């Protein structure tokens, strides 16, 4: 047994020592003293104030919703802003007799009082003091009525909230998109980013892709109210932060022309600067009115939009995949020139059909073009010429060039919405169907039929690359984003995905031939001619259903849904391209007849605007 | 036989004040939860106060188990226990249950445990074990001597902050640093540790996801989220303040009964008590906590084995910090970071580990004559 003295010595020598414990005791007593004093302050000194606040729970928490950033076109025209919307609010606990209050309310405000009563009763059990929306979008008379009858409507008030408004209605609706209540899956995906149930967020288009910029931050206010819910004063306030404003590359004047030119036809128009990829106009028809979504869309309207056979919510410029038809001959031509299969002077004989195995593939000109060379073949869109090239190239080489032009994969414009299209290869077919590729399929692919599928925006990238000398640009629509403090948060920077696999001499030849398509008297795209300006382009007529020879010859009326799609891709002026335009008209028939005149109007309007000097900064 | 009786008597003589205090605090917790959660949604058929009662019972059993096994045995296994806790913390991040944006619970059949609570207890043992094995050369420890436990603390803190559970992270660090100081870390070295910690902050910050950063910013500046955290504090102050001298009476708290006060059965349980029992009730409750802490301090000062004393002081830190931070939070003195009030806030893991910590305390206290 060691002595007590020794033990004490040990205790002093080895930490934790008594000194440590004493210090700890002092700190702890000090801290508790602070807590006791604070309790004294809150409960004794300020007890009455807090009691008053707690009596009937006098604090109401009100959100001050932020206004979403404004969207403008390149000339500063506002195309999405905010409007005050009036919401009918209720604090369930303050409505002592829901049935009679709702009945009274229904006298001046359009309201399903039965539904409202059960809503309030439910909320009284769960969150009696959390204010909730009874109805959105009150009319002026209703607001005035509520305000004048407020004393008889305890717990009811009107709240002003900024709501998205699109002054141009349906115009550019697909580009802008719309806002709607945040769906559950987004709420989960954006966990922790400050989103709450009931928040309105961008659901498609620019509204969705630029959501992080357009969104601001809600403010909040703690209001002291009396037993009747009347506002007594503000206890605390945090102001909102508006979203950033966005300037698009879109030119609404050109957009309008393009929409009018497309008219009632179903299809899409994409126009933009071929050098930068900046989109000037993007039309998809049929369209919708994004304002419908701002006040909360009715189930009926939603159903009619989503179930319509015309798919008005689909942005055809990005999401519709069509066979490219003869516009694809651009790719086949480049591939054949680059691979040394032909020169510009190699003659090929077109008897009006091309035989592979035991099958004949027809030319668009039944009697044939006779001996034909590169430029003429493109101008007159001779199918046999390109069947031949395709056959010599093989599908895989052809696909390599198509992909080099940006076809068959999303362009990067809107990764959320864009569809990839399809450029078939022999490996793809083996994987997809388990069968080998046939030569017949190659010749069909060479003229943009068969499995080939592209989107209008991909076609825009392709024709832009031809126009700008070979750069595969990523199309863009945001010119700049300006924060509430005036700081530029983002601005347009042309981005290239790479170069097309073509030499400049090949591209020069191609451009010259494409000019002939429009300018030459035998060209298929003459309807795109603009006086005083050289336009270069390519028509396309994409078969939807393979029609039998006899049917064509008999010239029977083809049902609408079986008619060909009309394509036209072009740019102008040829020497110094400022605009590239892609037009597709679903079931429109011949590209040269239906699509080319639409492109013509767009180019004409664009050049007129440039000439009159107010198409600032369009290049 | 006689010896056994003597030992039992001695145990009761030593432990009765603690048993009285724990019974009082546990009862306050259950009584308070009965009021706080009246009408609140429960995630099983059992009402919340009953579940708390069951956890109290489980805590008693586990606390007793911790008491009967010699604390030196516990120390022998300290690092293994620590390792198990780290595995559990990793498991939480991988397969944990996500509740209101945080991943803190591990589902084990019918119950869900919160490993970060157990980790605090394990760290207490591990740190004590480290200092037991490494005696100070000149009567104090330098930075080099605390490298190992600091790394152990940092690992746990990192895993907990990723959940994210800022409250528990802060507690883990405060309890550990308190123990290191008590163990004899030189103040100069401590300042260096703090300095290094501050330098590491930006790096740790970068490791967090955006939403985690945002949550921490809102934690630290409730003004950023006026509809969220800022609201909690205002409502809590109203609840506490409106309690006045004697309170509104049991089950009469309007703030809590009418669901004005959010999280009133967890982070703001003290506010419920303060509203219904007033200043007198608060002094009684805080007084009980103060007595509990004094009891721990007295155990520490009477311990003859330095590591036993360190364990006792660790238990002091284990209770002092959450009590101080939780109450200060509800009184609007500190930002709301989600720290439970021991014995009072609803939560099985917290209650059980609190009892286990007291088990360690009794363990060292009843074995103080063995040296």
């Amino acid at each position: 047994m060691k002595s007590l003295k020794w033990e004490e010595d040990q205790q002093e020598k080895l930490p934790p020592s008594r000194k440590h414990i004493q210090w700890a005791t002092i700190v702890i007593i000090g801290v508790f003293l602070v807590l006791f004093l604070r309790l004294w302050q809150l409960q004794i000194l300020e007890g009455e104030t807090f009691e008053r606040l707690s009596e009937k729970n006098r604090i109401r928490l009100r959100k001050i919703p932020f206004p979403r950033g404004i969207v403008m076109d390149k000339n500063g025209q506002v195309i999405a802003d905010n409007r005050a919307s009036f919401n009918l609010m209720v604090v369930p606990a303050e409505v002592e007799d829901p049935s009679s209050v709702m009945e009274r309310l229904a006298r001046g405000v359009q309201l399903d009082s039965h539904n409202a009563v059960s809503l309030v009763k439910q909320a009284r059990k769960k969150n009696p003091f959390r204010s909730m929306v009874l109805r959105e979008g009150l009319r002026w008379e209703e607001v005035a009525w509520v305000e004048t009858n407020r004393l008889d409507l305890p717990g009811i008030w009107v709240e002003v909230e900024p709501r998205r408004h699109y002054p141009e209605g349906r115009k550019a609706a697909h580009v802008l998109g719309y806002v709607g209540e945040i769906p559950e899956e987004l709420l989960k995906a954006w966990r922790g980013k400050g989103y709450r149930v009931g928040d309105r967020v961008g659901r498609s288009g620019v509204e969705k892709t630029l959501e992080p910029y357009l969104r601001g931050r809600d403010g909040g206010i703690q209001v002291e109210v009396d037993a009747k819910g009347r506002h007594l004063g503000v206890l605390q306030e945090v102001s909102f932060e508006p979203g950033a404003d966005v300037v698009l590359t879109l030119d609404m004047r050109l957009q309008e022309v393009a929409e009018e030119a497309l008219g009632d036809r179903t299809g899409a128009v994409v126009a933009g600067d071929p050098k930068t990829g900046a989109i000037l106009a993007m039309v998809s028809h049929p369209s919708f009115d994004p304002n419908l979504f701002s006040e909360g869309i009715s189930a009926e309207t939603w159903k009619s939009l989503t179930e319509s056979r015309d798919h008005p919510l689909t942005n055809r410029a990005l999401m519709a995949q069509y066979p490219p038809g003869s516009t694809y001959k651009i790719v086949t031509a480049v591939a054949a020139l680059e691979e040394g299969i032909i020169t510009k002077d190699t003659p090929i004989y077109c008897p009006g059909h091309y035989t592979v195995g035991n099958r004949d593939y027809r030319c668009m000109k039944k009697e044939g073009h006779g001996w034909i060379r590169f430029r003429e073949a493109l101008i007159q869109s001779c199918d046999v010429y390109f069947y031949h090239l395709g056959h010599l190239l093989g599908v895989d080489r052809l696909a390599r060039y198509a992909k080099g032009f940006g076809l068959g994969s999303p362009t990067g414009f809107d990764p959320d919405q864009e569809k990839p299209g399809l450029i078939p290869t022999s490996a793809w077919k083996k994987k997809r169907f388990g069968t080998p590729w046939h030569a017949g399929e190659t010749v069909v692919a060479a003229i943009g039929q068969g499995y080939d599928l592209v989107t209008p925006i991909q076609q825009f990238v392709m024709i832009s690359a031809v126009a700008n000398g070979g750069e595969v640009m990523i199309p863009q629509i945001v010119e700049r984003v300006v924060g509430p403090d005036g700081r530029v948060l983002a601005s347009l920077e042309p981005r290239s995905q790479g170069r097309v696999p073509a030499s400049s001499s090949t591209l020069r030849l191609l451009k010259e031939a494409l000019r002939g398509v429009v300018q030459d008297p035998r060209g298929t795209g003459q309807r795109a001619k603009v006086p005083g300006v050289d336009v270069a382009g390519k028509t396309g007529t994409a078969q939807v259903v393979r029609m039998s020879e006899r049917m064509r010859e008999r010239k029977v009326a083809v049902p609408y849904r079986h008619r060909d799609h009309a394509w036209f891709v072009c740019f102008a002026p040829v020497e110094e391209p400022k605009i590239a335009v892609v037009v597709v008209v679903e079931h429109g028939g011949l590209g040269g007849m239906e699509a080319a005149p639409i492109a013509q109007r767009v180019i004409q309007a664009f050049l007129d605007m440039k000439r009159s000097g107010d198409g600032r900064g369009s290049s | 036989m006689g010896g056994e009786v003597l030992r039992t008597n001695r145990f009761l003589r030593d432990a009765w004040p603690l048993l009285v205090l724990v019974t009082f605090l546990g009862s306050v917790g259950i009584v308070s939860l009965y009021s706080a959660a009246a009408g609140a949604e429960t995630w099983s058929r059992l009402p919340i106060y009953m579940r708390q009662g069951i956890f109290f019972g489980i805590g008693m059993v586990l606390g007793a188990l911790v008491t009967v096994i010699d604390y030196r045995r516990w120390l022998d296994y300290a690092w293994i226990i620590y390792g198990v806790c780290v595995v559990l913390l990793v498991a939480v991040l991988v397969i944990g249950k996500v509740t209101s944006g945080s991943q803190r619970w591990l589902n084990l059949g019918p119950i869900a445990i919160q490993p970060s609570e157990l980790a605090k207890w394990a760290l207490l043992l591990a740190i004590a074990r480290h200092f037991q094995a490494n005696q100070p050369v000149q009567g104090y420890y330098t930075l080099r001597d605390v490298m190992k436990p600091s790394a152990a603390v940092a690992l746990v803190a990192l895993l907990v902050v990723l959940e994210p559970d800022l409250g528990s992270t802060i507690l883990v660090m405060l309890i550990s640093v308190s123990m290191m100081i008590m163990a004899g870390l030189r103040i100069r070295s401590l300042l260096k540790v703090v300095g290094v910690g501050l330098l590491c902050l930006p790096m740790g910050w970068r490791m967090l996801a955006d939403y985690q950063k945002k949550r921490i910013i809102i934690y630290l500046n409730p003004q950023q989220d006026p509809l969220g955290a800022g609201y909690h504090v205002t409502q809590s102050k109203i609840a506490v303040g409106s309690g006045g001298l004697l309170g509104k009476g049991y089950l009469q708290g309007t703030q809590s009964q009418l669901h004005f006060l959010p999280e009133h059965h967890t982070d703001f349980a003290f506010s419920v008590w303060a509203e219904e029992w007033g200043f007198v009730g608060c002094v009684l409750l805080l007084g009980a906590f103060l007595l509990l802490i004094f009891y721990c301090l007295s155990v520490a000062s009477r311990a003859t084995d330095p590591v036993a004393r360190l364990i006792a002081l660790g238990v002091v830190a284990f209770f002092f910090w959450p009590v101080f931070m939780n109450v200060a939070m509800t009184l609007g003195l500190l930002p709301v970071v989600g720290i439970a009030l021991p014995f009072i806030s609803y939560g099985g893991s917290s209650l059980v580990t609190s009892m286990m910590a007291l088990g360690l305390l009794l363990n060292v206290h009843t074995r103080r004559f063995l040296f």
Side-chain angles (χ1 to χ4, degrees):
Chain A
M1 198 66 161
K2 287 153 188 158
S3 75
L4 249 177
K5 178 83 181 74
W6 184 89
E7 259 180 33
E8 268 174 23
D9 284 352
Q10 276 298 98
Q11 279 192 16
E12 284 316 303
K13 269 185 206 152
L14 285 175
S17 66
R18 284 199 189 284
K19 217 166 74 185
H20 279 113
I21 297 173
Q22 277 163 8
W23 271 111
T25 312
I26 290 167
V27 168
I28 289 164
I29 291 176
V31 165
F32 269 79
L33 208 59
V34 170
L35 295 181
F36 284 128
L37 283 176
R38 175 67 168 174
L39 276 170
W40 177 264
Q41 182 202 2
L42 291 180
Q43 298 190 304
I44 310 297
L45 297 182
E46 295 174 16
E48 270 175 45
T49 314
F50 285 119
E51 204 182 334
R52 183 174 54 76
L53 286 175
S54 86
E55 165 213 329
K56 264 300 230 171
N57 300 284
R58 282 167 184 255
I59 300 227
R60 295 287 173 276
L61 198 69
R62 287 183 189 166
K63 188 165 88 167
I64 317 177
F66 66 87
R68 226 171 143 74
I70 289 169
V71 182
M72 286 165 273
D73 84 340
K74 66 182 301 159
N75 304 312
Q77 185 188 339
V78 174
I79 42 181
D81 59 4
N82 305 289
R83 272 201 180 166
S85 167
F86 300 95
N87 295 342
L88 188 63
M89 307 296 291
V90 62
V91 171
E94 281 172 10
V95 184
E96 271 165 22
D97 180 1
S99 315
S100 74
V101 171
M102 292 307 139
E103 213 170 279
R104 219 174 299 149
L105 198 56
R107 277 179 222 152
V109 177
Q110 213 177 35
L111 189 76
D112 178 352
S113 58
H114 185 71
N115 194 21
V117 169
S118 69
L119 216 70
V120 170
K121 279 187 176 165
Q122 261 177 17
R124 273 165 77 111
K125 284 184 204 145
K126 271 193 162 178
N127 273 313
F129 289 95
R130 184 168 293 171
S131 55
M132 54 184 260
V133 181
L134 264 185
R135 217 202 89 192
E136 294 177 332
L138 293 192
R139 282 174 289 115
W140 254 114
E141 312 86 81
E142 293 176 312
V143 174
W145 188 87
V146 174
E147 289 301 330
T148 46
N149 290 282
R150 221 155 140 199
L151 284 181
D152 298 328
L153 300 165
I156 306 275
W157 83 95
V158 175
E159 183 187 79
V160 191
E161 190 187 6
R163 271 296 157 86
R164 207 48 158 173
H165 174 244
Y166 304 90
E168 297 291 323
R170 287 168 183 270
K171 266 182 222 156
H174 290 99
V175 174
L176 288 169
Y178 60 90
V179 294
E181 218 166 271
I182 185 165
E184 215 167 298
E185 64 269 19
L186 270 188
L187 204 58
K188 269 188 201 155
W190 292 347
R191 188 162 65 97
K193 286 190 175 165
Y195 287 93
R196 291 188 164 85
V197 177
D199 277 359
R200 280 189 149 70
V201 298
R203 298 292 302 276
S204 72
V206 164
E207 292 280 19
K208 186 177 180 191
T209 49
L210 295 181
E211 170 71 20
Y213 288 120
L214 292 168
R215 184 178 172 79
R217 192 168 56 85
D218 282 331
I221 182 169
Q222 292 179 0
V223 188
E224 187 185 350
V225 295
D226 68 6
K228 286 201 159 166
R230 279 175 301 208
H231 191 120
L232 294 180
V234 173
L235 290 179
Q236 204 184 10
E237 184 172 351
V238 179
S239 48
F240 65 78
E241 205 177 272
D245 294 341
V246 172
V247 179
L248 299 181
T249 59
L250 213 63
D251 187 325
M252 281 309 276
R253 297 166 308 172
L254 198 64
Q255 177 78 17
E256 201 171 330
V257 171
E259 296 201 4
E260 275 176 19
L262 186 63
D264 284 339
R265 302 176 186 90
T266 299
V269 179
V270 180
D273 184 334
K275 285 205 191 96
T276 61
I279 299 294
L280 293 162
M282 183 183 277
V283 182
S284 173
H285 192 265
S287 188
F288 62 95
D289 183 355
N291 288 308
L292 286 175
F293 295 85
S294 298
E295 294 285 1
I297 193 162
S298 71
E300 224 171 285
T301 318
W302 173 248
K303 207 175 154 195
S304 73
L305 283 172
T306 48
E307 289 179 8
S308 161
R309 268 188 90 176
D310 294 330
H311 304 292
L313 291 180
T314 300
N315 185 353
R316 289 176 154 77
L318 311 178
M319 299 156 91
Q321 309 178 103
Y322 310 93
S326 295
T327 60
Y328 196 75
K329 288 172 182 167
I330 291 173
V331 173
T332 311
V334 167
L337 286 170
E338 284 297 311
E339 296 290 319
I341 283 169
I342 48 156
T343 69
K344 69 182 175 53
D345 298 320
T346 310
I348 287 173
Y349 188 74
C350 165
H353 59 88
Y354 186 78
T355 311
V356 179
N358 54 6
R359 221 177 136 173
D360 270 358
Y361 295 88
R362 290 170 47 100
C363 183
M364 59 160 315
K365 192 175 175 187
K366 198 187 159 201
E367 57 278 22
H369 292 89
W371 286 104
I372 192 163
R373 292 183 171 76
F374 174 75
R375 186 168 178 274
E376 289 298 313
L378 212 54
I379 288 175
Q380 297 185 42
S381 205
C382 171
D383 290 333
V384 169
Y385 183 88
F386 289 94
Y387 288 147
H388 206 102
L389 301 192
H391 202 170
L392 294 171
L393 278 163
V395 69
D396 292 334
R397 267 202 286 186
L398 195 57
R400 186 150 51 82
Y401 281 88
K403 287 175 183 169
F405 272 96
L407 302 176
S409 58
T411 63
F413 177 78
D414 183 346
D416 268 3
Q417 290 198 67
E418 267 187 76
K419 287 278 188 293
L422 173 67
I423 297 299
T425 59
S426 53
W428 167 83
K429 194 187 168 198
K430 185 87 192 149
K431 195 175 162 199
R432 174 78 175 74
F433 299 109
T435 51
W437 186 269
H438 300 298
E441 291 168 322
T442 310
V443 303
V444 170
I447 63 153
Q449 292 290 163
Y451 300 116
D452 284 336
L453 287 175
V454 297
T455 62
I457 191 106
Q458 286 171 11
Q459 294 272 67
F460 170 77
V461 170
M462 178 194 72
I463 195 64
S464 291
V466 176
N468 68 28
E471 288 295 335
V472 182
M473 301 305 295
I474 297 175
Q476 295 183 69
I477 199 149
V478 180
E479 180 130 349
R480 61 180 183 280
V481 178
V482 185
D485 53 358
R487 235 161 18 105
V488 175
L489 305 176
S491 59
L492 179 79
E493 273 174 35
R495 284 183 293 153
S496 163
Q497 302 185 49
R499 284 191 62 80
V500 294
S503 65
S504 49
S505 61
T506 297
L507 288 175
R508 244 193 330 267
L509 266 180
L510 179 70
K511 262 187 173 181
E512 185 42 41
L514 293 178
R515 185 198 350 221
V517 171
V518 180
Q519 306 300 129
D520 194 284
R522 287 161 302 165
T524 52
Q526 287 180 71
R527 286 174 180 246
K529 252 187 215 167
V530 176
V533 187
D534 269 0
V535 178
K538 182 72 196 84
T539 54
T541 304
Q543 270 183 29
V544 176
V545 177
R546 223 188 141 72
M547 278 180 285
S548 71
E549 206 105 317
R550 229 178 302 153
M551 208 168 164
R552 271 182 200 277
E553 271 163 13
R554 282 192 354 230
K555 293 208 165 66
V556 291
V558 182
Y560 174 76
R561 301 234 165 236
H562 292 180
R563 287 181 209 163
D564 300 341
H565 298 318
W567 275 109
F568 192 65
V569 300
C570 61
F571 57 91
V574 175
E575 291 316 316
E576 189 53 44
K578 295 257 187 276
I579 186 167
V581 182
V582 169
V583 178
V584 63
V585 179
E586 279 182 25
H587 311 295
L590 293 172
M593 298 291 282
E594 276 295 306
I598 297 170
Q600 190 270 348
R601 281 182 66 182
V602 173
I603 293 173
Q604 176 87 62
F606 173 78
L607 295 174
D608 287 350
M609 278 185 239
K610 285 216 67 96
R611 251 180 246 132
S612 64
D614 44 39
R616 293 173 303 271
S618 55
S619 60
Chain B
M1 191 67 189
E4 286 293 311
V5 172
L6 185 73
R7 260 187 229 164
T8 310
N9 281 344
R10 200 173 71 200
F11 176 79
L12 285 177
R13 200 186 62 218
D14 289 341
W16 75 263
L18 186 67
L19 293 177
V20 169
L21 278 171
V22 167
T23 310
F24 172 73
L25 287 170
S27 312
V28 166
I30 292 168
V31 162
S32 202
L33 280 178
Y34 180 79
S35 167
E41 284 175 52
T42 51
W43 41 276
S44 88
R45 287 198 181 170
L46 273 187
I48 243 164
Y49 67 94
M50 275 197 192
R51 296 184 71 93
Q52 184 85 342
I54 291 169
F55 286 128
F56 190 74
I58 296 172
M60 278 284 191
V61 173
L62 286 177
L65 189 76
V66 171
T67 310
V68 293
I69 299 171
D70 193 323
Y71 68 90
R72 283 159 300 182
R73 290 288 84 69
W74 285 111
L75 288 172
D76 289 344
Y77 295 108
W79 286 110
I80 294 173
I81 297 170
Y82 169 85
V84 171
C85 279
V86 168
V87 170
L88 289 177
L89 285 172
V90 173
V92 162
L93 291 178
V94 181
I95 54 163
K97 189 171 87 175
V98 179
T99 312
S100 38
S102 301
Q103 208 160 349
R104 299 178 183 173
W105 287 270
L106 211 53
N107 266 333
L108 293 181
I111 56 162
I113 63 160
Q114 200 178 344
S116 57
E117 290 290 338
L118 196 63
K120 279 186 266 175
W121 187 82
L123 261 181
L124 194 162
L125 269 183
I127 292 171
R129 169 68 193 158
H130 171 80
F131 289 112
Q132 182 195 34
N134 300 279
Q135 295 293 334
V137 186
Q138 295 159 306
Y140 56 77
Y141 291 102
T142 62
L143 208 52
R144 185 177 297 180
D145 303 318
V146 296
M147 286 292 209
K148 190 177 162 190
S150 299
V153 173
L155 178 62
V156 169
L158 180 75
L159 291 172
V160 177
V161 85
L162 285 177
E163 290 181 2
D165 185 350
L166 193 63
S168 294
T169 311
I170 293 171
L171 281 185
V172 161
M173 301 214 277
L174 284 174
I175 294 169
S176 310
V177 171
S178 306
M179 280 185 77
M180 287 182 204
I181 296 171
M182 291 297 166
L185 178 65
R186 249 197 326 189
I187 293 297
R188 204 166 12 142
S189 307
L190 176 76
L191 291 178
K192 279 188 204 163
V193 174
V194 172
V196 170
L198 288 177
L199 285 177
C200 287
L201 269 184
M203 209 173 69
W205 182 252
R206 236 172 282 150
M207 286 175 66
L208 297 177
D210 275 350
Y211 75 93
Q212 288 170 327
K213 285 181 193 167
K214 186 158 182 173
R215 191 168 302 140
I216 290 170
I217 290 171
I218 290 171
Y219 271 143
L220 298 177
N221 180 15
Q223 283 289 310
Q224 284 235 336
D225 186 16
L227 304 176
Y231 174 68
H232 291 198
V233 177
T234 309
Q235 290 302 341
S236 172
K237 272 158 66 180
I238 293 175
V240 175
S242 64
L245 181 67
L246 295 170
K248 292 178 183 162
Y250 189 49
L251 301 179
Q252 304 298 314
T254 52
Q255 293 295 106
S256 45
Q257 295 298 323
L258 296 170
H259 307 292
F260 235 120
L261 192 58
E263 312 285 339
H264 50 249
H265 59 289
T266 53
D267 295 350
F268 290 97
F270 181 77
S271 318
V272 176
W273 177 262
E275 186 183 18
E276 296 188 345
W277 300 91
F279 184 71
V280 172
C282 289
V283 169
L284 203 67
L285 182 58
L286 283 187
F289 276 118
L290 198 56
L291 283 178
L292 176 76
I293 290 167
F294 280 160
Y295 180 86
C296 301
L297 284 168
S298 92
V299 170
S301 62
R302 288 162 72 188
T304 48
D305 179 2
V307 77
R309 197 182 301 167
L310 187 57
I311 290 174
L313 287 169
V315 178
V316 169
F318 192 98
F319 287 104
F320 167 70
W321 286 115
V323 169
F324 160 59
M325 295 200 62
N326 175 281
V327 175
M329 205 172 76
T330 59
L331 302 184
L333 291 173
L334 285 179
V336 179
V337 287
I339 286 177
L341 184 60
F343 300 105
I344 313 296
S345 294
Y346 173 70
S349 301
S350 158
L351 188 55
V352 169
T353 34
S354 292
M355 302 289 234
M356 284 164 65
L358 291 178
L360 276 182
L361 186 86
L362 277 183
N363 193 331
V364 298
H365 194 41
T366 50
R367 290 182 176 80
R368 68 185 182 278
F369 300 116
L370 295 178
F371 262 72

